[in-house]
Amino acid sequence: MILKINGKTYEIEVEPRRTLADALRKDCRLTGTHIGCEHGVCGACTVIVDNAAIRSCLMFAVQAEGSEIRTVEGLAGEHLHIMQQEFQNHHGLQCGFCTPGFLLLAVAALEAEPDLSDAALLDVLSSNLCRCTGYQNIIAAVSAAARRMKER
Amino acid sequence: MKPCDFIYHRPDTIAAAVALLAEFAPAGGRILAGGQSLVPMMAYRMAQPSHLIDITRIAALSGVQVTGQTLRIGAATPHRHFAKPVCGGALGEMLPHIAAHIAHAPIRNRGTFGGSLANADPASEWCTLLATLDGSVEAAIRTGTRHIPAADFFTGVMATALPEDALLTAAFLPILQDYRWGFYEISRRAGDYAMAMCLAAYRLQDGVMTDAHLGIGGAEATPRRLPHAESALNGQPPGETAFNRATDAASASLDPMTDHTMTADFRRHLVRTAITRALAGSRA
Amino acid sequence: MTIWTGQRITRFEDENLLRGNGNFTADLPSPLYLRFVRSPFAAGKIERCTAPAGVTMFTAADLDGVKPIQPMIRKFGYIPILQHVLARDVVRYTGEPVAAVIANSEEQAEDFADSVVLDISPAQVSVTAAEGLAAHAPVIHPGMDSNIVVQTAMTTPDHAAATAQAAHHVTTKIRSRRQSALPMETRAAHAAFDPATGRVTLTCTAQMPHLMRTAIAALLGMDEADLRVIAPDVGGGFGQKMSLAAEYVVLVWAARKLRATIAWVEDRRENLMASFHSRDIEIEVTGAFDATGKFLALTADITANVGAYAPYPNTAAVEPLMSFTELPGPYDIGAYACTARGVITNTCVSAPYRGVARPAITLAMERLMDRAAEQIGLDPAEIRRRNLVHKFPHTTPTGLVYDDASYIATMEAALRAADVPAFRARQRAARAAGRHLGLGISTFCERTGYGSAAFAARGMDVQPGWENVDMRMDSHGFVTARIGASPHGQGLRTTLAQIIADTLGIAPSQIQIVHGDTDDTPYGWGTFASRSLVISGGASLIAARKIRGKIIDEAADILEAAAVDIELGDGLARIAGTDRHIPIADIAAARNGFADDGFYDPLGTFSNATHIAVVEVDTGTCKVRVEQFIVAEDAGRLINPMIVDGQIHGGVAQGIANALLEEIVYDESGNILTISLADFLAPTAHEIPPIRILHRETISDATITGAKGIGEGGTIGAPAAVLNAINDALKPFNVEINEMPATPARIFAALQAAR
């Protein structure tokens, strides 16, 4: 089957039961998407499918055929994406394991609604778990990125 | 936590899906919609379907239509579709408000209205909505369609009246033009399963409440309307007196679910709070 | 001249992680995967364990030559219980590894594991400490008389007299419920056998790679030189990854046996069930106070449920003995009498989790202070003011020496920031409107950066503590520092570079910190116990100073000046007060670089903090919302304040979680009920308020960088602040909440009982 990821095509052969998360990591060798719980709670595996943030551990790879998938590896070009820059500026990551999930969660939300209120942003960010940062710097980073993304 | 192996089908039409279900359901085949409830169960191997019939590409199963005073919701419509109002009346207002309580945005991007109903988790918001507003569902089987009213639909924890070879195709809810409504959910964290929730709706006629709907979810094996509480509201002006009587009547008839985190007394207390606050919210 | 210490520079670690180019253990490809078959019962005899034909399976019988894990501490009558890496004959906790299967994929490995027939005859279980202590409880380990693995008692000579003359006696009993560190990355290991050399490279989620290497090699009877351990990017540890996992030993054994590369990736259910738990502790404290509220004596009894085995290297004694030793906290308690015990039960092994026993002992002391304040008629801040240590050095009844710190001044800063009088007015108004706000204080000192003397004093066979740093400046002036610490989010690559940069006069971007690979780094003890910046930082400073001396001597020669007149900064060696200079890179080129090392083994230093929480308790839902949280802390010199703040944020979040949400629950048969993240509730962004942080920097001579440790403070103080705030909020109801997590169900039960 074919997966379209970050604008490239990947031809893979997987069992139907292989999740999108595992297919990305194992078959496409895109290990930036991380697995934290495998039952759809922690959000570490969040990727963007057809412009919506989804938990890739809750989707089978076969279901993603024909969709446009974006992973963390596709965020930066030569330079880091604004969201990545602000995570760095605001110390929004420590161990980095939950970070790709948060980046894509935030990017998807702000691309869909650039004018998200602070309260709505907090709702979105409460979707994912982080054990290191206590969230404060993640919220600051995403807020700063939101302002810059709107300006552009 | 990897699922057991299964054979994957992705039909394009309702008829094809129903045919597959007829063939494979007896052997453990199941419908796959959003997967937000089913796939975690498969990860824990608590569910081990031998076949999965993916209905998410069947266009006819998604989308909403208003016909007269009824909203028809295609079963495979994702929760996120309800983030903005899709119709008028009290229903149009309450759908986005209630949807925001369902898990988190990424779950709502894939989880479906019909999936929640078929899953029949006692703490499901859409199940509480359907039960409280006396909605109904439509299911397709090989021999035709069946219509099941909400009161008959939920039969127990995670159990419905849907035959194993039936595909839930739509749900129907009343628009409730000019009704007042209130909703309150109590959960440990935002987006968690409800420990208790209440949906209340009524029409105000000549200063008194009529056609009161008051339902609770998350507290008993299935969500349901509380007729004794509704009787305490009907014919009364909205206000603390009637609301307190309704809350008392509700508590008396409760059959609370308990577990290691929840005693019967605590559940009752939470139900009282949910009802009180839902009713208080209806006056806004 | 640019000074790097004290600056909030962004981290060098970040770019790779942000791009998704981190190297986490489970990212490594592997041709084979191993999965464990785990006991479904908490206790019982293994009758049969068989796999269908075609499934490669190993059990304890196959691992006959592998030694059991048996950490030792030679004090307090500790009994060195042993753990076979695969259960032999009996199982002792639900989730204990009994067998291992090998497959070509994780999916297939799980199918194979499910196909194994494991028959166990269940036996009577002890789940709680009380059950383990009961007169007829089965003794869980052969050779022991009871399930007490360690116990100790002490009474200072003045205790009886002091207690007798007290005007007030106040008793409080706290219950800390079982925790799990829940790193976002579960444990994982990847063992690659190289047939050409016979070596195994073990890449694993570890906080102590060198010790893992020593320990695993010893257990397998292999030369240490044949084992290389790499801790790559690690997705959070919080202590859970410092203890030796039996699973790693089995994996390395299997890789050698099959002469292959095999990986093990723990899933989240396994992580909750069988990765180290902690803090299942009950403490009763009695404070004897004079008429003015001054401590005369403290009496305590401590029971820790330590699980079925002992974690390596800390042993099953770590929580009860740390509680016993550190209970007095920042207070001058006068006389001390304490009894403490660790009880073996049929539950998962308890091991250090960020703060270890300190969140529980702080809860005990801080609840005691609030209760004493109420009983004696003092303000909660005032009773603390009268009892906090303020003369340094201070030696506690258990022999700990507190170095220069600011317990009182820090508390005053926190109180000012909280504007307590304004809060009290707001609280009164809220009460009149039926809303229950509360404010809670907790003050504590945190033992950090302690070296081998401290571990020796504990009597541990394995005595971590010191750190080496090997430092080399190449002929381009670029510096590589190889360290034995093993950071996993703490930003050490950045903070150590800041320290070295200031000493050598170059930019941090010219400095690379190498860690985690036992082939590439000097022996060291890893990252845990709030030690890395203090100890590896100290060793880095020592090494850098030596190289600085060499650079200065060379510069003095070249510039024909006195060494004492040479200053280093901004990449240049300059004669002070002139503009005669030479680039440091040129000096390095002239000498083909410089190399030296540093060794640091400090006694330890105590940082301190005061936490203040403001909460609202909703009696309709019995939920607690943390509205505000203030931390006033003193950890000495801040190398990178941004990173310090980040550590505090994360620690406080885990502390709030401990106070309100997280709990591992067993049923009466020893089945673990919290096996998913829908049951074990970690906080989201909604549950953690913005944390306001105030800093003080008391520079003590107990740490040569001036920095004290900061990693665990958040978890230590936050639970007590939240619990005290809850009790403050619920004062009108005449209830006491002394159990954490203070779940809505527990708050309801307390309110109901008081009615």
Side-chain angles (χ1 to χ4, degrees):
Chain A
M1 57 165 290
I2 301 217
L3 288 179
K4 276 186 280 177
I5 308 167
N6 302 325
K8 298 214 286 265
T9 52
Y10 290 77
E11 197 164 332
I12 62 174
E13 197 175 317
V14 296
E15 291 180 311
R17 65 167 163 171
R18 177 148 286 188
T19 62
L20 178 60
D22 278 328
L24 289 170
R25 290 174 51 75
K26 298 226 147 44
D27 302 285
C28 305
R29 296 302 308 147
L30 296 166
T31 56
T33 301
H34 299 143
I35 290 177
C37 77
E38 286 186 300
H39 53 283
V41 177
C42 76
C45 67
T46 304
V47 298
I48 299 177
V49 174
D50 296 330
N51 297 318
I54 62 106
R55 294 182 173 172
S56 60
C57 73
L58 294 188
M59 197 172 171
F60 298 111
V62 291
Q63 294 186 282
E65 236 181 331
S67 291
E68 299 288 338
I69 303 167
R70 289 162 69 194
T71 68
V72 63
E73 288 92 343
L75 275 185
E78 189 196 326
H79 301 291
L80 295 178
H81 187 285
I82 288 174
M83 187 64 68
Q84 291 165 316
Q85 290 172 31
E86 292 305 329
F87 264 70
Q88 178 161 33
N89 292 340
H90 288 87
H91 190 34
L93 66 153
Q94 291 181 26
C95 81
F97 194 78
C98 75
T99 307
F102 267 102
L103 290 172
L104 293 162
L105 175 74
V107 165
L110 289 170
E111 283 179 354
E113 271 178 88
D115 267 307
L116 275 184
S117 68
D118 286 348
L121 204 51
L122 187 60
D123 275 345
V124 168
L125 294 177
S126 73
S127 303
N128 286 12
L129 295 180
C130 170
R131 276 311 255 179
C132 293
T133 68
Y135 303 107
Q136 190 158 337
N137 288 347
I138 292 177
I139 294 168
V142 175
S143 302
R147 280 191 294 275
R148 285 181 60 192
M149 282 167 75
K150 227 168 63 157
E151 280 161 22
R152 261 200 340 172
Chain B
M1 283 145 47
K2 313 297 180 188
C4 295
D5 208 359
F6 56 85
I7 296 171
Y8 175 74
H9 310 267
R10 191 161 66 212
D12 287 321
T13 64
I14 294 175
V18 169
L20 287 165
L21 206 48
E23 185 179 350
F24 295 119
R30 291 187 62 163
I31 296 292
L32 172 66
Q36 307 299 281
S37 296
L38 180 59
V39 179
M41 288 199 281
M42 291 173 68
Y44 276 85
R45 299 197 167 194
M46 282 162 34
Q48 300 185 15
S50 50
H51 295 258
L52 280 185
I53 301 156
D54 182 348
I55 57 164
T56 57
R57 307 280 180 112
I58 302 176
L61 279 178
S62 196
V64 305
Q65 300 92 38
V66 175
T67 312
Q69 291 302 303
T70 304
L71 178 70
R72 181 188 191 279
I73 299 173
T77 308
H79 307 313
R80 66 152 176 222
H81 192 84
F82 301 96
K84 303 259 153 52
V86 299
C87 65
L91 184 66
E93 293 170 1
M94 69 174 70
L95 282 168
H97 181 91
I98 294 173
H101 286 78
I102 300 175
H104 296 283
I107 301 278
R108 297 196 291 272
N109 282 335
R110 285 193 61 78
T112 65
F113 197 97
S116 287
L117 297 182
N119 191 42
D121 191 308
S124 152
E125 287 85 353
W126 292 149
C127 292
T128 301
L129 174 70
L130 194 88
T132 305
L133 300 192
D134 246 344
S136 62
V137 305
E138 170 193 278
I141 46 178
R142 252 233 283 247
T143 50
T145 17
R146 297 250 313 259
H147 235 88
I148 310 174
D152 299 335
F153 184 71
F154 302 107
T155 56
V157 174
M158 319 291 283
T160 69
L162 269 183
E164 78 173 355
D165 61 346
L167 170 66
L168 189 70
T169 47
F172 298 89
L173 291 165
I175 301 281
L176 300 183
Q177 201 66 47
D178 299 324
Y179 277 59
R180 296 238 189 119
W181 65 277
F183 176 78
Y184 196 85
E185 177 175 328
I186 304 169
S187 57
R188 290 296 298 277
R189 305 166 301 178
D192 281 348
Y193 291 111
M195 299 192 287
M197 68 182 129
C198 174
L199 174 64
Y202 53 83
R203 196 152 49 101
L204 216 49
Q205 204 164 342
D206 302 322
V208 301
M209 299 181 276
T210 63
D211 192 27
H213 292 255
L214 193 142
I216 55 161
E220 297 180 319
T222 62
R224 66 183 174 103
R225 291 176 71 172
L226 300 178
H228 298 296
E230 291 167 346
S231 308
L233 296 175
N234 285 328
Q236 303 298 320
E240 253 181 66
T241 317
F243 292 170
N244 286 343
R245 264 199 231 117
T247 306
D248 290 340
S251 296
S253 70
L254 210 63
D255 182 17
M257 283 191 303
T258 61
D259 61 41
H260 74 267
T261 65
M262 183 67 68
T263 62
D265 280 350
F266 186 38
R267 186 82 75 183
R268 269 181 233 280
H269 179 82
L270 292 175
V271 168
R272 289 191 69 97
T273 302
I275 296 174
T276 305
R277 293 182 184 180
L279 287 170
S282 73
R283 306 193 63 191
Chain C
M1 193 163 80
T2 317
I3 302 293
W4 297 98
T5 300
Q7 281 205 48
R8 306 174 76 94
I9 66 171
T10 59
R11 301 189 326 165
F12 299 122
E13 290 87 336
D14 287 354
E15 174 135 0
N16 270 343
L17 294 170
L18 286 166
R19 283 180 180 271
N21 291 340
N23 292 311
F24 294 92
T25 301
D27 296 346
L28 287 171
S30 180
L32 296 176
Y33 283 86
L34 181 150
R35 186 166 176 90
F36 290 96
V37 179
R38 296 180 179 274
S39 171
F41 295 112
K45 182 163 179 304
I46 301 170
E47 305 289 0
R48 182 165 66 124
C49 184
T50 55
V55 173
T56 304
M57 181 184 75
F58 302 116
T59 63
D62 299 296
L63 272 64
D64 206 36
V66 178
K67 298 197 190 68
I69 296 172
Q70 192 170 26
M72 185 57 179
I73 179 172
R74 294 176 198 283
K75 268 186 131 171
F76 306 115
Y78 177 80
I79 300 174
I81 55 178
L82 58 88
Q83 174 184 7
H84 293 291
V85 294
L86 288 177
R88 190 181 288 188
D89 300 328
V90 296
V91 294
R92 296 192 170 90
Y93 70 96
T94 304
E96 180 171 2
V98 177
V101 296
I102 311 285
N104 295 325
S105 70
E106 286 173 90
E107 289 95 339
Q108 189 186 51
E110 195 161 341
D111 292 342
F112 285 173
D114 282 358
S115 75
V116 167
V117 175
L118 176 58
D119 279 340
I120 295 180
S121 307
Q124 187 187 338
V125 304
S126 295
V127 180
T128 65
E131 285 167 358
L133 288 169
H136 300 292
V139 175
I140 294 171
H141 284 278
M144 287 176 70
D145 294 326
S146 74
N147 290 313
I148 298 177
V149 68
V150 68
Q151 64 183 335
T152 187
M154 77 174 278
T155 308
T156 56
D158 48 348
H159 183 264
T163 308
Q165 70 193 60
H168 300 280
H169 296 268
V170 184
T171 297
T172 219
K173 191 165 170 175
I174 68 99
R175 185 74 170 90
S176 164
R177 293 280 174 189
R178 191 171 279 248
Q179 298 292 292
S180 175
L182 203 83
M184 288 318 301
E185 179 201 33
T186 57
R187 296 178 304 173
H190 178 285
F193 177 83
D194 180 359
T197 60
R199 291 187 92 208
V200 171
T201 297
L202 174 68
T203 304
C204 60
T205 54
Q207 295 176 235
M208 305 177 79
H210 282 280
L211 183 61
M212 297 295 99
R213 177 187 187 214
T214 303
I216 294 172
L219 294 179
L220 295 179
M222 60 188 285
D223 286 337
E224 221 173 288
D226 284 339
L227 180 61
R228 173 184 182 189
V229 176
I230 302 174
D233 288 320
V234 173
F238 315 114
Q240 196 179 82
K241 295 169 179 170
M242 79 178 280
S243 301
L244 172 63
E247 291 92 340
Y248 296 172
V249 182
V250 176
L251 187 75
V252 175
W253 178 89
R256 276 163 44 101
K257 171 91 178 159
L258 298 179
R259 301 176 65 82
T261 294
I262 318 177
W264 169 63
V265 181
E266 180 182 53
D267 66 39
R268 186 55 71 182
R269 175 171 44 190
E270 287 179 287
N271 179 261
L272 286 167
M273 184 168 60
S275 191
F276 304 98
H277 295 168
S278 75
R279 295 215 251 291
D280 192 340
I281 298 175
E282 38 198 305
I283 303 177
E284 182 172 308
V285 282
T286 299
F289 299 88
D290 71 15
T292 71
K294 183 89 193 58
F295 250 122
L296 294 177
L298 178 71
T299 310
D301 185 72
I302 299 164
T303 299
N305 179 342
V306 299
Y309 295 106
Y312 180 96
N314 289 97
T315 80
V318 64
E319 285 180 338
L321 294 188
M322 182 184 293
S323 304
F324 170 83
T325 307
E326 300 188 22
L327 179 66
Y331 300 107
D332 187 359
I333 55 157
Y336 185 53
C338 183
T339 46
R341 69 203 60 78
V343 183
I344 299 285
T345 62
N346 296 111
T347 61
C348 180
V349 184
S350 211
Y353 160 37
R354 200 174 193 176
V356 197
R358 298 182 193 96
I361 62 180
T362 303
L363 180 65
M365 291 304 291
E366 293 307 291
R367 284 300 303 134
L368 176 67
M369 296 312 271
D370 267 21
R371 291 271 288 103
E374 201 178 328
Q375 196 169 309
I376 299 171
L378 286 174
D379 181 78
E382 183 58 28
I383 195 171
R384 288 169 170 85
R385 212 172 271 128
R386 294 182 186 185
N387 287 292
L388 284 170
V389 169
H390 53 272
K391 289 206 190 73
F392 301 95
H394 171 85
T395 304
T396 75
T398 55
L400 298 175
V401 179
Y402 296 166
D403 55 319
D404 267 336
S406 63
Y407 304 161
I408 293 179
T410 296
M411 184 181 74
E412 305 296 9
L415 291 167
R416 274 192 304 273
D419 194 353
V420 181
F423 171 78
R424 292 292 172 210
R426 196 159 67 93
Q427 183 182 45
R428 275 191 298 276
R431 278 212 175 108
R435 291 175 58 211
H436 307 285
L437 305 182
L439 183 148
I441 303 170
S442 103
T443 41
F444 62 95
C445 60
E446 177 192 351
R447 191 176 191 194
T448 74
Y450 44 100
S452 55
F455 290 96
R458 286 185 188 174
M460 282 166 65
D461 259 15
V462 173
Q463 290 172 14
W466 40 264
E467 282 301 325
N468 274 317
V469 172
D470 289 346
M471 196 172 294
R472 161 171 290 281
M473 175 181 280
D474 69 16
S475 54
H476 296 279
F478 190 90
V479 171
T480 300
R482 299 176 185 280
I483 70 174
S486 200
H488 41 280
Q490 293 86 348
L492 227 57
R493 279 189 217 164
T494 307
T495 50
L496 293 188
Q498 288 173 263
I499 292 172
I500 297 167
D502 278 347
T503 307
L504 296 180
I506 61 179
S509 57
Q510 296 299 297
I511 301 165
Q512 181 193 21
I513 310 294
V514 175
H515 61 85
D517 185 339
T518 57
D519 268 8
D520 274 352
T521 54
Y523 206 98
W525 297 99
T527 292
F528 55 94
S530 306
R531 69 186 299 271
S532 296
L533 183 69
V534 177
I535 308 183
S536 281
S540 297
L541 184 60
I542 291 168
R545 280 176 179 167
K546 291 182 189 174
I547 293 181
R548 174 191 176 87
K550 292 177 181 174
I551 295 172
I552 285 178
D553 283 348
E554 190 64 23
D557 261 358
I558 295 172
L559 295 172
E560 291 170 339
V564 71
D565 291 328
I566 304 290
E567 55 187 32
L568 303 183
D570 297 319
L572 305 172
R574 185 200 306 271
I575 301 178
T578 78
D579 55 17
R580 290 195 55 221
H581 62 266
I582 176 171
I584 292 169
D586 289 359
I587 300 173
R591 298 284 297 151
N592 287 320
F594 301 98
D596 220 315
D597 56 33
F599 173 84
Y600 191 45
D601 188 8
L603 285 176
T605 172
F606 285 80
S607 61
N608 64 273
T610 294
H611 291 190
I612 296 185
V614 172
V615 307
E616 176 164 1
V617 183
D618 177 339
T619 51
T621 62
C622 297
K623 284 174 66 173
V624 177
R625 182 178 67 95
V626 183
E627 181 198 277
Q628 283 179 60
F629 204 95
I630 294 169
V631 172
E633 67 83 28
D634 187 344
R637 176 165 290 124
L638 301 171
I639 306 301
N640 185 323
M642 184 184 76
I643 288 178
V644 172
D645 287 352
Q647 291 297 303
I648 294 171
H649 294 163
V652 168
Q654 286 178 315
I656 291 174
N658 199 162
L660 297 178
L661 288 166
E662 291 175 12
E663 182 177 351
I664 294 284
V665 180
Y666 284 95
D667 70 12
E668 64 280 356
S669 307
N671 297 312
I672 177 166
L673 300 179
T674 46
I675 51 161
S676 82
L677 296 185
D679 314 303
F680 185 85
L681 302 179
T684 71
H686 266 304
E687 281 73 48
I688 310 298
I691 297 160
R692 188 168 155 204
I693 303 176
L694 302 118
H695 292 294
R696 289 184 80 85
E697 291 180 300
T698 299
I699 309 297
S700 106
D701 57 14
T703 157
I704 55 169
T705 56
K708 303 184 181 186
I710 193 60
E712 292 167 283
T715 52
I716 294 173
V722 174
L723 270 277
N724 276 344
I726 292 171
N727 282 288
D728 183 52
L730 295 179
K731 262 213 187 52
F733 298 92
N734 206 33
V735 296
E736 254 201 272
I737 311 287
N738 288 327
E739 188 171 357
M740 59 178 180
T743 60
R746 289 191 173 119
I747 290 175
F748 174 76
L751 289 170
Q752 198 181 29
R755 245 178 275 138

